[in-house]
Structures are given as structure tokens and as C-alpha cells.
Amino acid sequence: MIYFISDLHLGLGERSQDINRERLLLTFLSAITRDCEQLYIVGDLFDYWFEYNTVIPKYHIRTLAALAQLRVYGGSQGKGAEIHYLMGNHYFGQRSFFEEELHIPIYREDLATTIRGKKFYFAHGDGKAYNDTGYLILKKILRSRINQWLWKWLHPDIGVGLAAGVSRRSRAYTSDKNYGNEKNGLTDFAQAKIMNEDVDFVIMGHLHQPMRHEFLKKDGSLGVYMNLGDWLGHDTFGMFDGYTLTLASVHDFLKKVGEH
């Protein structure tokens, strides 16, 4: 089974609420270990992330350990699950930790790949909304090499604190946009990929609104755009069995497998 999650925003809000959200994730990761061949994290697993040469944020070390466990022991044969990690709009301090220590590749741009003979296209979704020029400029500034170099000279307590502040500003900017209609840019982007480039499945996050739409491809078959929603209120995720792409509730899934 292939699984997809996004927009958990670990680190957001009151610590007690954050711990509960992380516990749900840990239960989920444990439940999928038995059959997870691949896990795609489609952005914003953490509300912010900034790492130094020898320092990473201390919270959510349990999540990092659980991902490492899944990476080594996941899958029906226990040979280890592949984990693919797309950066979200709340990340600008991602360096080499995930790739070197956890062997989890980081994708700084969109990802096109083939899974079980089907063409998938993954994007977090940031920058694809209409009238998002301001965000694209901010993204380029925050992820510039010079600013990254300057930032790493700050004491971690200051640097991570500033990263959290930038994350809050990014969320405020996103929240001011109206994504409650079909013309949000992401849906149109996905439709174009499916209809013009023969993509079977487009998967994104960022909107914090779970949705699933079907579009007709040139050959007459159906392609699917899925937005994974979030874990701040919807608690939704996607899964693919080789034939069908399903949008599901985490709580319902855990009850079904006897983990909740």
C-alpha cells in the first residue's frame, strides 16, 4: 500500500494540542508499518524547521524515530518502506539531516514519478494559487543561499524562534486567501496536468481542505486530483492500492485496523 499525508504542522499551537496531534501520527505510522511500501509526505509535516550542522529542533524527536523505524522495518516483508518528503511553504532551513541520517530524500520542487504503472504528480501547492506573486518572492528570499548562511550563525534558540515567527507570518498570509471555491489555482493546475500531460493522479496539500476531483484525460480515462487536507481539524490522508486512490479519515482508518 502507498500512503500520503500532508499539513500536520507539528509544533503549531499549544504544546498539549501539539502532543496529541503527534500521538495520532505515531499511532498511524505504527498501524501502516505492516503494509506500507511507500509513504509520501506532501509538505508541512512540521510547522517550521531549521537545522544547524549539529543541532535540530528538539520537539518531535519521537516522530523522527518513528519515521526511521518505518524506513527500516516497514512493508509486508519488513524490508523497509520508502519515504519521500516534499518541502512545504513553512520550510526554509532544511539541510541534510533527513537525507543523511534517516535516508529520506527531500524534494525542494514538485515531484513527477511512476507508481505501479501510474503517473503521479506531487506538489505541496504553495505558489500555485492565483495572485501568489508576493509569496513566491518571499520564498526566493528566505531560501537564498546568502540568507541561509547568515541565519545559521544565529544561536539555535534565536534561529529556531525566528523560524517559528516566519512560519506564523506565512500561515497568516495563506489564511487571508479565499480557497473556498473551485478557482483556487491548485485545482486548475491539477486539471491541466491531467488533461494535457496524461498524468493519472495529482496529489497536493496546502489548502487545508480535503477534496477529490476526477477529470477526463485525452484517452477517455479518468485522472484524479486529490488534496490531502490537514491534521488540524480534518485528519485526512490518502492511500493507493495500485488501482484506486482513496481519501480517508485517520480516525476511521485506525478503528478499522484496531489501533484506536
Side-chain angles (χ1 to χ4, degrees):
M1 188 72 75
I2 318 298
Y3 294 95
F4 317 94
I5 60 175
S6 75
D7 293 275
L8 282 81
H9 290 276
L10 297 177
L12 171 64
E14 296 293 331
R15 182 66 180 139
S16 59
Q17 296 175 342
D18 187 40
I19 289 175
N20 288 335
R21 193 159 58 250
E22 184 179 39
R23 285 173 179 164
L24 182 63
L25 173 61
L26 296 177
T27 304
F28 175 78
L29 292 176
S30 175
I32 69 173
T33 297
R34 68 196 74 176
D35 70 349
C36 178
E37 298 174 26
Q38 299 179 47
L39 170 66
Y40 286 82
I41 304 170
V42 192
D44 288 349
L45 172 62
F46 303 102
D47 196 53
Y48 55 87
W49 181 272
F50 194 93
E51 65 189 70
Y52 294 79
N53 288 338
T54 57
V55 176
I56 61 171
K58 72 175 184 179
Y59 295 129
H60 314 114
I61 194 69
R62 289 171 292 273
T63 292
L64 299 177
L67 290 174
Q69 185 88 352
L70 181 65
R71 180 69 183 84
V72 175
Y73 298 111
S76 58
Q77 303 298 319
K79 296 180 180 179
E82 294 181 18
I83 302 178
H84 302 271
Y85 194 167
L86 276 73
M87 290 181 67
N89 57 301
H90 286 253
Y91 299 170
F92 58 92
Q94 201 102 26
R95 300 180 71 189
S96 60
F97 174 78
F98 280 87
E99 293 167 314
E100 293 181 359
E101 299 299 324
L102 303 179
H103 304 290
I104 296 175
I106 296 292
Y107 302 94
R108 290 165 172 78
E109 303 296 338
D110 297 355
L111 170 64
T113 188
T114 300
I115 303 174
R116 295 189 182 180
K118 298 294 185 179
K119 294 174 66 175
F120 277 76
Y121 191 93
F122 295 94
H124 179 60
D126 53 315
K128 291 180 171 54
Y130 294 129
N131 302 318
D132 222 4
T133 304
Y135 166 73
L136 292 174
I137 294 173
L138 177 63
K139 178 179 177 180
K140 183 170 290 189
I141 293 172
L142 291 175
R143 294 186 182 179
S144 71
R145 289 186 177 182
I146 183 63
N147 284 332
Q148 294 281 300
W149 182 83
L150 290 171
W151 201 293
K152 77 174 186 176
W153 289 104
L154 296 173
H155 187 280
D157 287 348
I158 299 174
V160 172
L162 285 175
V166 170
S167 174
R168 287 191 294 271
R169 288 176 178 272
S170 175
R171 188 184 314 102
Y173 174 82
T174 302
S175 299
D176 286 340
K177 290 185 172 295
N178 178 19
Y179 294 124
N181 56 71
E182 293 299 308
K183 293 298 181 181
N184 55 49
L186 282 75
T187 301
D188 290 350
F189 176 87
Q191 182 178 6
K193 283 287 178 184
I194 291 168
M195 296 180 66
N196 301 331
E197 299 183 28
D198 196 35
V199 172
D200 296 297
F201 301 105
V202 176
I203 298 181
M204 289 190 274
H206 188 54
L207 294 188
H208 292 207
Q209 295 180 11
M211 60 182 70
R212 185 183 188 279
H213 297 299
E214 295 181 347
F215 298 104
L216 200 63
K217 297 168 58 180
K218 289 182 178 179
D219 63 3
S221 63
L222 290 176
V224 176
Y225 160 52
M226 178 179 288
N227 195 289
L228 296 169
D230 63 26
W231 286 36
L232 299 174
H234 298 102
D235 301 332
T236 45
F237 73 102
M239 52 185 174
F240 178 64
D241 61 4
Y243 303 96
T244 304
L245 181 64
T246 303
L247 184 64
S249 158
V250 175
H251 287 92
D252 290 347
F253 172 77
L254 293 178
K255 289 178 181 178
K256 185 176 180 180
V257 300
E259 294 282 349
H260 212 45

